[in-house]
Amino acid sequence: MAADSHNACAGAGSSSHASRHHLAQSAMPILPASYTLADDGTPYSDTFEDVYHSAAGAIGQAEHVFLGGNGLPGRWRGRDRFVIVETGFGLGLNFLATWAAWRADPERAATLHFVSCELHPFAVEDLAVLHARWPEFAPLATELQAAWPSLTPGVHRLHLDKDRVFLTLYFGDARDGLAQLDARADAFLLDGFSPARNPDLWSQKVFHLLGRMAAPGATLATWSVAGEVREGLRRAGFEVEKAPGFAGKRQMLRGRHLGPRGAHVEATPRLRESDAPQAARRAIVIGAGVAGSSAAERLAARGWSVDVIDGADRPGQGASGNHAGVLRPLPSLDDNRMSRLTRAGTLYGWRHIRRLRARGISVRAEDCGVLHLARDAAQLDKMRAVVERLALPASLLRFVDADEAERIGGWPVQLGGWWFSDSGWVQPPTLCAANLAAHPSQIRTHFACPVAQIERVADEWRALDAAGQLIAAAPVLIMAAGTGLRDFPLAGTLPMVSARGQVSLLDAAAGSAPRVVMCRMGYVSPEVDGLRCAGATFDVGDDEPDLRERDHHENIEKLEAMLPGYTTQLGPTALRGRVGFRPASPDRLPMVGAIPSVSSVAPRTPLSEIPRHAGLYALSGFGARGLVWAALAGELMASLICGEPAPVENDLIAAVDPARFILRPVRQSATDD
Ligand SMILES: Cc1cc2nc3c(=O)[nH]c(=O)nc-3n(C[C@H](O)[C@H](O)[C@H](O)COP(=O)(O)OP(=O)(O)OC[C@H]3O[C@@H](n4cnc5c(N)ncnc54)[C@H](O)[C@@H]3O)c2cc1C
Ligand SMILES: C[S@@+](CC[C@H](N)C(=O)[O-])C[C@H]1O[C@@H](n2cnc3c(N)ncnc32)[C@H](O)[C@@H]1O
């Protein structure tokens, strides 16, 4: 297949060169694209030694090969949603051409999902330079560049075109990414460099993974007609045929998935329940904290009508009532699930705040930076090793010594640590209020309205008050009641605990140090509206609602250990504060998904086979990181309910599935035997 390329005239390459790019680990640092321009001006990859698109025109190729070969725009007409999966995102020209064609079509699908993998994403500055060559796409390209994520491994969900176009990017090797993406594709765009120079992207593994993602009737298109490509696709359950190619190329390939009987592979097991309850697009959310308000906003953005019910008289009065909390990731040496999920949650969380603000909705928050100081020399060494190993963009994570930490924080410190310059603080009640205000015609709030009971009648969930009066009814009910979840017997399988937390509020002058969030066993915020928030205590199973002197004392001791000499002017009695009860799960990961209807299952039962209550979901267990999880968990919840491509990897969906707690003790005892 050496001569198979975007261009009929492109020469053969060495496949041993391409095999150097076998970066199979998702934890591998992301190396940005390195390109030059060929003599005719076509972008050329220095890494793969091939052009990014046909010299005869990227957009002509996109329209003829990728859209035309998949029967588009015709096939998306009248559909509620159309899902496209691409193998290599490159400059995003196929995406821009697809988005433009979708916009231009009055009969387009209501929403467009475009899912793509990219091993070497472009730096946004390079995208801007290259996109400028296609001025016809300027508004779309500008919107894409503005939303372009940080170049970190894993899934990034971008919302474009007023939430009607969803771009889900996996940064990393497609052979890992396609196995980790939970999507049902209506059309595939196979776009790598020439198979000779980029064999990984045309491998049997990739074809099988595409076959697993195929929705009924899924089609594919590619410019390559190499024999190995045709044979590999056939083996993965696609029937393929040659068709007239674009410009100088005589032929291209188009194909159709033959369904489960045509494939030699199983369809991807789904971790979600049936899509049936979503037809009515109506949901109840119990709880107007960061969890419930986030889910309500994400469903409302999809056109759902949502009733949000809370016992308090306004949003963010439970655990989400603090003056300022920290929104930042928690990296680890092995980039474990907590590390990946907190990174994804932080990046998505800040993008969410920016999107709310771009619509004129205010949120009190500032990405002033977060300094996490080491508690001792051993931890400092570990922190340095984590930074070196993960090699994340410096704006996300950087190692700083004590001198630099002191300059950043504005106060002498003993040791350096992690500097998250793009992270910061958020005032949770304002985020809750902003979420609920984002879609006024879609979200109806019921405050001062405690739910005493929920019941399923016919196909609907009903939320009732203490007098048995109906508050709201809908086919979908999301329990985001924080520690209040424990009062509902139907959520009895979820091992939720309450962890009391007290923060201390210190008077602070504007501009006084520290001007960034600082952490070390606890945290202290910069001045926010004349106050600084220091905390926090963490006491499981402690129900005391009143402020305690000894807890203030504990907070002040942590602050003094972090910033020596800082607290000499302060006394605990002069402090104000707030007590909240965190809804915490045993493994410190949130609970996002359908609630199991059984309390035990046979050992090794797949999560996808655990019976669930129809239309009943949990969004909780946010513990000490509610701000980190909230926006992404809300988006995941909405994606799961709607049966859409997910915004995080499959193993992370499994990690937050509320049914995991049923499996673990069973598996544990099976192992112990
Ligand atoms: C002291 C402290 C400091 C923290 N600091 C940080 C931080 O720095 N960074 C971070 O990311 N996270 C932090 N957290 C954690 C974070 O605040 C929580 O994880 C998050 O607020 C939980 O949100 P939630 O929406 O699940 O719960 P909640 O905010 O408690 O919301 C649940 C809502 O459900 C309502 N409700 C309950 N039962 C019913 C019912 N039966 N009927 C109707 N309504 C009901 C409640 O009134 C409440 O409004 C902190 C928490 C505390 C307590
Ligand atoms: C021909 S270009 C794609 C052009 C792109 N579709 C566009 O519209 O601009 C191929 C892309 O695949 C990427 N790629 C190559 N091998 C990959 C792999 N194993 N996993 C993910 N992406 C890969 C390359 O970095 C390159 O950006």
Side-chain angles (χ1 to χ4, degrees), residues 6 21-23 33 45 47-48 50-53 58 61-62 66 86-96 114 116-122 131 170-176 189-194 198-202 206 223:
H6 283 101
H21 305 288
H22 188 108
L23 301 178
S45 165
T47 315
F48 292 93
D50 198 1
V51 283
Y52 271 90
H53 57 76
Q61 175 181 270
F66 293 110
E86 184 189 48
T87 49
F89 189 75
L91 288 81
L93 296 172
N94 287 340
F95 169 65
L96 290 173
F114 197 98
S116 191
C117 297
E118 181 50 61
L119 182 57
H120 297 300
F122 277 90
H131 285 166
Y170 176 85
F171 285 169
D173 195 314
R175 290 169 298 172
D176 303 321
L189 317 186
L190 274 62
D191 196 11
F193 293 114
S194 102
N198 190 192
D200 297 343
L201 213 49
W202 304 93
V206 164
W223 48 265

Side-chain angles (χ1 to χ4, degrees), residues 287 289-291 310-311 319-320 322 325-326 451 481-482 488 523 622-628:
V290 289
D310 201 296
S320 311
N322 275 342
V326 195
V451 177
F488 295 93
Y523 70 92
F622 282 14
R625 302 203 170 81
L627 291 169
V628 183

Side-chain angles (χ1 to χ4, degrees), residues 489-502:
L490 281 168
T493 53
L494 308 180
M496 170 85 70
V497 297
S498 165
R500 180 187 184 278
Q502 179 172 321

Side-chain angles (χ1 to χ4, degrees), residues 335-382:
D335 204 25
N336 58 27
R337 294 175 311 177
M338 172 71 82
S339 167
R340 288 161 54 211
L341 206 49
T342 54
R343 181 168 68 234
T346 300
L347 292 169
Y348 187 88
W350 284 109
R351 285 205 299 273
H352 176 66
I353 289 171
R354 283 195 286 274
R355 290 173 54 235
L356 287 168
R357 286 175 170 167
R359 298 174 51 201
I361 302 166
S362 111
V363 181
R364 284 290 284 138
E366 194 190 352
D367 49 357
C368 55
V370 176
L371 199 48
H372 183 151
L373 303 175
R375 60 176 174 270
D376 53 34
Q379 198 193 22
L380 189 74
D381 287 345
K382 277 191 198 145

Side-chain angles (χ1 to χ4, degrees), residues 169-425:
L169 291 168
Y170 176 85
F171 285 169
D173 195 314
R175 290 169 298 172
D176 303 321
L178 293 171
Q180 283 280 18
L181 286 162
D182 182 33
R184 280 277 176 271
D186 298 304
F188 295 102
L189 317 186
L190 274 62
D191 196 11
F193 293 114
S194 102
R197 294 174 189 246
N198 190 192
D200 297 343
L201 213 49
W202 304 93
S203 59
Q204 193 61 51
K205 178 166 186 189
V206 164
F207 297 150
H208 268 76
L209 291 170
L210 296 180
R212 279 162 57 102
M213 295 170 93
T219 59
L220 72 82
T222 179
W223 48 265
S224 173
V225 287
E228 290 91 330
V229 171
R230 284 181 283 137
E231 184 48 32
L233 287 168
R234 280 198 194 101
R235 285 216 295 272
F238 293 91
E239 74 176 2
V240 292
E241 61 174 8
K242 291 179 182 169
F246 171 67
K249 271 189 78 72
R250 203 161 57 86
Q251 294 172 316
M252 57 169 273
L253 210 60
R254 60 185 179 211
R256 193 172 65 88
H257 194 254
L258 295 174
R261 268 172 296 174
H264 305 298
V265 289
E266 296 290 313
T268 315
R270 309 222 93 197
L271 296 170
R272 60 192 50 171
E273 60 156 325
S274 115
D275 292 341
Q278 64 141 325
R281 291 170 172 262
R282 284 187 294 114
I284 298 170
V285 176
I286 303 180
V290 289
S293 67
S294 300
E297 192 280 326
R298 293 289 72 222
L299 281 174
R302 288 162 165 83
W304 283 52
S305 297
V306 188
D307 283 280
V308 178
I309 311 172
D310 201 296
D313 61 356
R314 55 193 193 281
Q317 296 304 296
S320 311
N322 275 342
H323 190 61
V326 195
L327 172 48
R328 59 97 180 208
L330 191 71
S332 69
L333 201 56
D334 59 351
D335 204 25
N336 58 27
R337 294 175 311 177
M338 172 71 82
S339 167
R340 288 161 54 211
L341 206 49
T342 54
R343 181 168 68 234
T346 300
L347 292 169
Y348 187 88
W350 284 109
R351 285 205 299 273
H352 176 66
I353 289 171
R354 283 195 286 274
R355 290 173 54 235
L356 287 168
R357 286 175 170 167
R359 298 174 51 201
I361 302 166
S362 111
V363 181
R364 284 290 284 138
E366 194 190 352
D367 49 357
C368 55
V370 176
L371 199 48
H372 183 151
L373 303 175
R375 60 176 174 270
D376 53 34
Q379 198 193 22
L380 189 74
D381 287 345
K382 277 191 198 145
M383 290 171 119
R384 189 188 289 111
V386 169
V387 174
E388 284 167 7
R389 167 80 70 88
L390 297 184
L392 294 166
S395 60
L396 190 62
L397 173 64
R398 194 158 69 75
F399 182 79
V400 290
D401 61 17
D403 286 346
E404 191 173 0
E406 181 174 330
R407 276 198 302 279
I408 292 170
W411 195 269
V413 295
Q414 281 158 347
L415 293 169
W418 285 332
W419 170 231
F420 307 93
S421 70
D422 278 357
S423 294
W425 60 266

